[in-house]
Amino acid sequence: MISSSRFSYSSSIPPLQTQKQIGSSSLSQFFPTKSLKISTTPQVSTSRRSSKNTTTTAFFFNNPKQHQDSPKPAKVQELSVYEINERDRGSPAYLRLSQKSVNSLGDLVPFSNKLYSGNLEKRLGITAGLCVLIQHVPEKKGDRYEAIYSFYFGDYGHISVQGAYLTYQDTYLAVTGGSGIFEGVSGQVKLQQLVFPFKLFYTFYLKGIPDLPAELLGKPVEPSPNVEPSPAAKAAEPNASIPNFTN
Protein backbone atom coordinates (compact mmCIF):
# COMPACT_ATOMS: atom_id res chain seq x y z
CA MET A 1 0.00 0.00 0.00
CA ILE A 2 1.50 3.32 -1.08
CA SER A 3 1.04 6.32 1.18
CA SER A 4 1.26 9.87 -0.03
CA SER A 5 4.05 12.19 1.17
CA ARG A 6 3.47 15.74 2.35
CA PHE A 7 5.97 18.51 1.92
CA SER A 8 5.48 22.03 3.24
CA TYR A 9 7.25 24.89 1.58
CA SER A 10 7.19 28.49 2.92
CA SER A 11 8.39 31.50 1.06
CA SER A 12 10.95 33.43 3.09
CA ILE A 13 10.39 36.58 1.01
CA PRO A 14 7.53 38.91 2.04
CA PRO A 15 4.93 39.23 -0.71
CA LEU A 16 5.31 42.99 -1.21
CA GLN A 17 9.10 42.90 -1.27
CA THR A 18 9.05 39.96 -3.64
CA GLN A 19 6.78 41.72 -6.08
CA LYS A 20 8.93 44.87 -6.16
CA GLN A 21 12.36 43.23 -6.41
CA ILE A 22 11.64 40.28 -8.63
CA GLY A 23 8.60 41.23 -10.66
CA SER A 24 5.37 39.37 -11.18
CA SER A 25 6.76 37.37 -14.14
CA SER A 26 9.24 35.56 -11.87
CA LEU A 27 6.84 34.65 -9.07
CA SER A 28 6.14 31.30 -10.67
CA GLN A 29 9.66 30.22 -9.70
CA PHE A 30 8.68 30.12 -6.04
CA PHE A 31 6.40 27.65 -4.30
CA PRO A 32 3.18 29.10 -2.81
CA THR A 33 3.04 29.64 0.92
CA LYS A 34 0.40 27.03 1.52
CA SER A 35 1.38 23.36 1.95
CA LEU A 36 1.85 21.26 -1.17
CA LYS A 37 0.61 17.69 -1.25
CA ILE A 38 2.44 15.28 -3.56
CA SER A 39 1.06 11.81 -4.13
CA THR A 40 3.34 9.01 -5.28
CA THR A 41 0.38 7.31 -6.94
CA PRO A 42 0.24 8.17 -10.68
CA GLN A 43 -2.81 10.30 -11.51
CA VAL A 44 -4.88 9.50 -14.50
CA SER A 45 -6.81 12.07 -16.43
CA THR A 46 -9.51 10.96 -18.82
CA SER A 47 -11.20 13.19 -21.36
CA ARG A 48 -14.12 12.20 -23.56
CA ARG A 49 -15.32 13.62 -26.84
CA SER A 50 -18.99 12.94 -27.31
CA SER A 51 -18.92 13.56 -31.05
CA LYS A 52 -16.59 10.64 -31.75
CA ASN A 53 -17.18 8.72 -28.56
CA THR A 54 -13.44 8.28 -27.95
CA THR A 55 -11.51 8.17 -24.70
CA THR A 56 -8.02 9.63 -24.22
CA THR A 57 -5.98 8.65 -21.18
CA ALA A 58 -2.89 10.55 -20.04
CA PHE A 59 -0.45 9.59 -17.30
CA PHE A 60 1.26 12.41 -15.46
CA PHE A 61 4.73 10.98 -15.12
CA ASN A 62 7.58 10.58 -17.56
CA ASN A 63 8.61 7.19 -18.84
CA PRO A 64 11.87 7.26 -20.83
CA LYS A 65 11.50 5.59 -24.18
CA GLN A 66 13.21 2.27 -24.54
CA HIS A 67 15.73 2.48 -27.37
CA GLN A 68 16.23 -0.90 -28.95
CA ASP A 69 19.29 -1.65 -31.05
CA SER A 70 18.81 -3.23 -34.42
CA PRO A 71 18.91 -7.01 -34.02
CA LYS A 72 22.20 -8.75 -34.81
CA PRO A 73 22.32 -11.84 -37.01
CA ALA A 74 21.36 -14.84 -34.88
CA LYS A 75 23.24 -17.27 -37.11
CA VAL A 76 26.10 -19.16 -35.44
CA GLN A 77 29.18 -19.60 -37.63
CA GLU A 78 31.96 -22.07 -36.94
CA LEU A 79 35.57 -21.12 -37.54
CA SER A 80 38.41 -23.57 -36.90
CA VAL A 81 42.06 -22.57 -36.52
CA TYR A 82 45.33 -24.08 -35.33
CA GLU A 83 47.75 -22.26 -33.04
CA ILE A 84 51.27 -23.63 -33.49
CA ASN A 85 54.43 -22.68 -31.63
CA GLU A 86 57.30 -23.12 -34.09
CA ARG A 87 59.88 -22.07 -31.50
CA ASP A 88 60.93 -19.01 -33.50
CA ARG A 89 59.20 -16.21 -31.57
CA GLY A 90 60.77 -16.56 -28.11
CA SER A 91 57.37 -17.70 -26.82
CA PRO A 92 56.20 -18.41 -24.22
CA ALA A 93 58.02 -16.39 -21.58
CA TYR A 94 57.53 -17.50 -17.97
CA LEU A 95 57.63 -14.68 -15.42
CA ARG A 96 57.81 -16.29 -11.99
CA LEU A 97 56.44 -13.40 -9.96
CA SER A 98 55.60 -15.71 -7.07
CA GLN A 99 59.35 -16.36 -6.64
CA LYS A 100 58.52 -19.97 -5.80
CA SER A 101 60.15 -23.09 -7.20
CA VAL A 102 56.81 -24.50 -8.43
CA ASN A 103 54.16 -22.82 -10.57
CA SER A 104 52.13 -20.63 -8.20
CA LEU A 105 49.38 -18.04 -8.11
CA GLY A 106 50.35 -14.82 -9.86
CA ASP A 107 52.97 -16.19 -12.25
CA LEU A 108 52.58 -14.62 -15.71
CA VAL A 109 53.01 -16.18 -19.15
CA PRO A 110 52.98 -13.77 -22.11
CA PHE A 111 52.94 -15.57 -25.46
CA SER A 112 52.61 -15.23 -29.22
CA ASN A 113 52.28 -18.09 -31.69
CA LYS A 114 51.47 -18.58 -35.38
CA LEU A 115 47.91 -19.05 -36.57
CA TYR A 116 46.84 -21.37 -39.40
CA SER A 117 43.51 -22.20 -41.00
CA GLY A 118 41.67 -25.31 -39.86
CA ASN A 119 42.65 -27.16 -43.03
CA LEU A 120 46.31 -26.13 -42.43
CA GLU A 121 46.53 -24.73 -45.98
CA LYS A 122 46.78 -21.02 -45.12
CA ARG A 123 48.81 -18.87 -42.78
CA LEU A 124 46.32 -16.52 -41.10
CA GLY A 125 48.32 -14.51 -38.58
CA ILE A 126 49.27 -14.83 -34.93
CA THR A 127 47.94 -15.11 -31.42
CA ALA A 128 49.10 -12.68 -28.74
CA GLY A 129 48.18 -12.47 -25.10
CA LEU A 130 48.80 -13.14 -21.46
CA CYS A 131 48.02 -15.99 -19.05
CA VAL A 132 47.87 -15.49 -15.29
CA LEU A 133 48.41 -18.63 -13.24
CA ILE A 134 45.49 -19.18 -10.87
CA GLN A 135 46.12 -22.69 -9.55
CA HIS A 136 48.78 -25.36 -9.84
CA VAL A 137 47.11 -28.78 -10.11
CA PRO A 138 49.85 -31.40 -9.53
CA GLU A 139 47.43 -34.36 -9.39
CA LYS A 140 46.49 -33.58 -13.01
CA LYS A 141 50.03 -32.61 -13.99
CA GLY A 142 48.94 -29.20 -15.13
CA ASP A 143 47.80 -25.70 -14.29
CA ARG A 144 44.77 -23.45 -14.43
CA TYR A 145 45.29 -20.04 -16.01
CA GLU A 146 43.11 -17.02 -16.62
CA ALA A 147 43.81 -16.14 -20.24
CA ILE A 148 43.29 -12.88 -22.12
CA TYR A 149 44.41 -12.92 -25.74
CA SER A 150 43.61 -12.16 -29.37
CA PHE A 151 43.67 -13.90 -32.74
CA TYR A 152 44.93 -11.65 -35.54
CA PHE A 153 43.76 -12.23 -39.11
CA GLY A 154 45.63 -9.58 -41.13
CA ASP A 155 43.35 -7.18 -42.99
CA TYR A 156 40.28 -9.06 -41.78
CA GLY A 157 40.74 -7.85 -38.20
CA HIS A 158 40.99 -9.71 -34.91
CA ILE A 159 38.99 -11.66 -32.33
CA SER A 160 39.55 -11.23 -28.57
CA VAL A 161 38.82 -13.95 -26.01
CA GLN A 162 38.99 -14.38 -22.25
CA GLY A 163 38.47 -17.21 -19.81
CA ALA A 164 39.93 -20.28 -18.19
CA TYR A 165 42.80 -22.08 -19.89
CA LEU A 166 43.45 -25.53 -18.41
CA THR A 167 46.58 -27.27 -19.61
CA TYR A 168 45.17 -30.71 -18.82
CA GLN A 169 41.71 -30.66 -20.48
CA ASP A 170 39.55 -28.93 -23.09
CA THR A 171 38.04 -25.59 -22.09
CA TYR A 172 35.70 -22.91 -23.42
CA LEU A 173 36.52 -19.21 -23.45
CA ALA A 174 34.20 -16.26 -24.08
CA VAL A 175 34.53 -14.23 -27.27
CA THR A 176 34.63 -10.66 -25.95
CA GLY A 177 34.78 -8.68 -29.18
CA GLY A 178 36.69 -7.99 -32.35
CA SER A 179 37.59 -5.57 -35.12
CA GLY A 180 37.28 -5.43 -38.89
CA ILE A 181 34.86 -8.08 -40.15
CA PHE A 182 34.61 -9.31 -36.55
CA GLU A 183 33.29 -6.02 -35.14
CA GLY A 184 30.39 -6.69 -32.78
CA VAL A 185 31.10 -10.43 -32.57
CA SER A 186 30.07 -12.55 -29.60
CA GLY A 187 30.03 -16.25 -28.79
CA GLN A 188 32.56 -18.72 -27.45
CA VAL A 189 35.55 -20.77 -28.52
CA LYS A 190 36.51 -24.32 -27.62
CA LEU A 191 40.20 -24.83 -26.87
CA GLN A 192 41.73 -28.28 -27.38
CA GLN A 193 45.22 -28.84 -26.03
CA LEU A 194 47.16 -31.13 -28.41
CA VAL A 195 50.79 -30.70 -27.36
CA PHE A 196 51.36 -28.30 -24.46
CA PRO A 197 52.39 -25.58 -25.13
CA PHE A 198 53.11 -26.04 -28.82
CA LYS A 199 49.90 -27.11 -30.58
CA LEU A 200 46.30 -26.09 -29.90
CA PHE A 201 43.12 -26.43 -31.93
CA TYR A 202 40.25 -23.94 -31.63
CA THR A 203 36.64 -24.08 -32.77
CA PHE A 204 34.91 -20.69 -32.67
CA TYR A 205 31.12 -20.39 -32.45
CA LEU A 206 30.55 -16.83 -33.61
CA LYS A 207 27.39 -14.72 -33.56
CA GLY A 208 26.42 -11.22 -34.60
CA ILE A 209 28.57 -10.83 -37.74
CA PRO A 210 28.08 -11.22 -41.51
CA ASP A 211 29.10 -14.41 -43.31
CA LEU A 212 32.80 -15.19 -43.02
CA PRO A 213 35.03 -15.13 -46.11
CA ALA A 214 35.56 -18.50 -47.76
CA GLU A 215 39.34 -18.41 -47.40
CA LEU A 216 39.03 -18.45 -43.60
CA LEU A 217 36.89 -21.57 -43.76
CA GLY A 218 37.35 -25.05 -45.19
CA LYS A 219 37.08 -28.53 -43.74
CA PRO A 220 39.43 -28.71 -40.75
CA VAL A 221 42.04 -31.41 -40.39
CA GLU A 222 41.21 -33.80 -37.56
CA PRO A 223 43.07 -32.54 -34.47
CA SER A 224 46.00 -34.69 -33.36
CA PRO A 225 49.47 -34.14 -31.89
CA ASN A 226 51.01 -34.92 -35.29
CA VAL A 227 49.34 -32.22 -37.40
CA GLU A 228 51.56 -29.85 -39.37
CA PRO A 229 50.80 -26.93 -41.69
CA SER A 230 51.44 -27.40 -45.40
CA PRO A 231 54.95 -26.38 -46.55
CA ALA A 232 53.47 -23.48 -48.54
CA ALA A 233 51.50 -22.21 -45.54
CA LYS A 234 54.52 -22.59 -43.29
CA ALA A 235 56.55 -20.52 -45.74
CA ALA A 236 53.68 -17.99 -45.95
CA GLU A 237 53.67 -18.09 -49.74
CA PRO A 238 51.21 -15.67 -51.40
CA ASN A 239 48.83 -18.46 -52.45
CA ALA A 240 48.95 -19.97 -48.96
CA SER A 241 48.40 -16.91 -46.77
CA ILE A 242 45.73 -14.25 -46.38
CA PRO A 243 46.45 -10.67 -47.55
CA ASN A 244 48.73 -8.81 -45.17
CA PHE A 245 48.64 -11.60 -42.61
CA THR A 246 49.78 -10.56 -39.15
CA ASN A 247 53.30 -11.74 -38.39
Side-chain angles (χ1 to χ4, degrees):
M1 187 173 186
I2 303 176
S3 62
S4 62
S5 302
R6 296 174 179 240
F7 298 89
S8 179
Y9 297 86
S10 297
S11 174
S12 60
I13 304 176
L16 293 178
Q17 183 181 356
T18 300
Q19 188 172 6
K20 291 179 181 180
Q21 295 179 353
I22 301 175
S24 59
S25 61
S26 301
L27 288 177
S28 60
Q29 299 177 7
F30 295 90
F31 289 108
T33 56
K34 63 180 180 180
S35 61
L36 176 65
K37 297 180 180 180
I38 299 177
S39 174
T40 59
T41 304
Q43 299 179 9
V44 180
S45 173
T46 303
S47 62
R48 298 180 180 271
R49 294 183 181 179
S50 58
S51 59
K52 295 185 179 181
N53 195 25
T54 60
T55 301
T56 303
T57 302
F59 291 87
F60 293 97
F61 53 81
N62 293 327
N63 279 333
K65 293 182 179 180
Q66 299 293 332
H67 297 284
Q68 295 182 350
D69 296 331
S70 56
K72 295 182 179 180
K75 177 181 178 181
V76 177
Q77 302 182 70
E78 289 190 22
L79 172 63
S80 299
V81 298
Y82 278 95
E83 180 187 13
I84 298 180
N85 185 330
E86 296 178 348
R87 300 172 176 84
D88 60 350
R89 301 180 66 84
S91 174
Y94 202 96
L95 308 179
R96 201 174 291 280
L97 300 186
S98 66
Q99 299 182 351
K100 296 180 180 179
S101 58
V102 296
N103 296 352
S104 301
L105 176 66
D107 291 347
L108 301 181
V109 186
F111 65 93
S112 178
N113 298 314
K114 293 180 180 179
L115 194 63
Y116 293 93
S117 59
N119 59 14
L120 293 169
E121 295 296 327
K122 279 189 179 291
R123 171 74 187 279
L124 302 179
I126 63 170
T127 59
L130 179 69
C131 290
V132 182
L133 197 143
I134 301 301
Q135 182 183 23
H136 179 53
V137 190
E139 63 272 19
K140 295 185 177 181
K141 300 180 179 179
D143 298 297
R144 177 190 181 94
Y145 291 90
E146 180 69 15
I148 304 172
Y149 57 114
S150 295
F151 297 73
Y152 290 92
F153 296 86
D155 288 347
Y156 287 122
H158 85 284
I159 301 173
S160 293
V161 302
Q162 180 176 354
Y165 167 36
L166 310 181
T167 63
Y168 48 83
Q169 70 182 51
D170 298 347
T171 51
Y172 284 86
L173 296 91
V175 173
T176 57
S179 65
I181 67 170
F182 305 107
E183 181 182 2
V185 71
S186 61
Q188 61 181 345
V189 59
K190 181 181 180 182
L191 180 158
Q192 293 177 254
Q193 185 78 60
L194 304 178
V195 179
F196 175 76
F198 301 112
K199 290 181 183 178
L200 300 94
F201 180 71
Y202 297 88
T203 304
F204 286 90
Y205 302 94
L206 304 175
K207 297 182 292 184
I209 56 173
D211 290 347
L212 294 169
E215 69 174 337
L216 296 183
L217 305 175
K219 185 178 180 180
V221 174
E222 188 69 22
S224 79
N226 300 319
V227 296
E228 291 291 342
S230 69
K234 196 168 185 177
E237 295 179 1
N239 64 332
S241 59
I242 64 173
N244 297 318
F245 70 90
T246 310
N247 194 8

